[in-house]
């Protein structure tokens, strides 16, 4: 029997609650589809930082590299200044493990309410490939004369051809494998960011023309992308973009698919170890109330299985989730589902 070693990082706030349901569903899938999952839990997060003063042990990345995948809940603590845990844990792991793709499907499931008028599951089904190691996230920059009227702050948008190219190649391959509209849209800002997105655009067309003639190429500025994601989401198949724009447009995408209760993602290193997480935050005000929606974590778990090669099990989880959204849940919002966090986990697990 195939066996996978999973590092579990429940993290902060409602992270542990949603991870518990995710693991419940993963175990049910393993049982139904004949594979084994072995877990090891790590306590990285705000509580550990407050207790020990250490954000992340230096050995963390090396330790995590020994696993087949990482399953993460949420990072972010109300008693810790914003940025410390996000940069010190989440971004550090993405960088050190070189998880250069952040894959974020935007898919409206049946029975889920979208704020987009007259749009249904047949209109909202695309995937954002967000580059995950470069851009303003590299932290290159600095500040001088801080606190004075002359304060200068710089944070640079940084990309090299290698980063851009490997991300684009992943996106082209993904579009081909997805085999839907066979259309890859580059989301950029070539009218203002005339260095960075010029690099992206040239690489996009060079690579596409040479190696992916079967994939249709489109280009949208990021502001226009936002507009069309609301007005005509059915135009999109796969969108590829840099780290910052990808962060922003995937929150917009998430709300069109029913919000943070359902939006899942994977930080992928196709040649290394990948980390799967709900894209929402730690929602501290709902902690330990058994009201948070675990579906985003459950769907991240399904993405993890798909990545590990357990495609049938991944599809079964997605099907069970769709059945639950279509026939059970009143809403995807915390406290309004008509079921508790644990009950939603049970519903999905029992549906396998
Ligand atoms: C996300 C989050 C993170 C990001 C934050 C928490 C650092 O918003 O995963 O989208 O900006 O990437
Ligand atoms: Mn974000």
């Amino acid at each position: 029997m195939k066996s996978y070693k999973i590092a579990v990082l429940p993290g902060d706030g409602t992270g542990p609650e949603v991870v518990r349901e995710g693991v419940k569903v993963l175990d049910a899938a393993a049982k139904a589809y004949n594979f084994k999952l072995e877990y090891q839990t790590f306590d990285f997060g705000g509580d550990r930082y407050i207790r020990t003063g250490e954000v992340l042990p230096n050995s963390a990345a090396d330790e995590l590299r020994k696993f087949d995948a990482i399953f993460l809940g949420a990072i972010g603590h109300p008693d810790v200044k914003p940025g410390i845990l996000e940069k010190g844990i989440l971004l550090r792991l993405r960088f050190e493990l070189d998880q250069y793709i952040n894959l974020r499907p935007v898919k409206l499931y049946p029975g889920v309410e979208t704020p987009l008028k007259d749009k249904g599951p047949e209109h909202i089904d695309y995937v954002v490939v967000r580059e995950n190691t470069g851009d303003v996230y590299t932290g290159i920059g600095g500040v001088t004369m801080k606190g004075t009227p002359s304060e200068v702050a710089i944070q640079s948008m940084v990309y090299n051809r290698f980063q851009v190219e490997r991300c684009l190649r992943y996106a082209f391959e993904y579009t081909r494998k997805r085999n839907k509209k066979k259309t890859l849209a580059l989301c950029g800002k070539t009218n203002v960011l005339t260095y960075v997105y010029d690099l992206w655009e040239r690489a996009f067309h060079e690579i596409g023309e040479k190696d992916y003639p079967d994939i249709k190429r489109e280009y949208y500025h990021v502001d226009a992308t936002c507009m069309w994601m609301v007005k005509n989401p059915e135009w999109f198949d796969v969108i590829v973009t840099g780290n910052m724009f990808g962060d922003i447009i995937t929150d917009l995408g998430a709300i069109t698919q029913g919000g943070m209760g359902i939006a899942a993602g994977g930080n992928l290193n196709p040649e290394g170890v990948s980390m799967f997480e709900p894209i929402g935050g730690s929602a501290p005000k709902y902690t330990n109330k058994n009201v948070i929606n675990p579906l985003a974590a459950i769907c991240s778990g399904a993405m993890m299985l798909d990545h590990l090669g357990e495609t049938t099990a991944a599809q079964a989880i997605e099907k069970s989730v769709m059945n639950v959204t279509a026939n059970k849940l009143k809403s995807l919002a915390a406290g309004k589902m008509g079921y508790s966090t644990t009950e939603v986990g049970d519903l999905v697990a029992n549906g396998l």
Side-chain angles (χ1 to χ4, degrees), residues 338-352:
Y339 296 88
S340 67
T341 306
T342 41
E343 284 169 336
V344 175
D346 289 339
L347 284 172
V348 179
N350 294 336
L352 289 169

Side-chain angles (χ1 to χ4, degrees), residues 218-230:
E218 291 180 340
Y219 172 83
Y220 299 90
H221 292 320
V222 61
D223 42 358
T225 308
C226 292
M227 194 166 75
W228 300 125
M229 280 169 67
V230 170

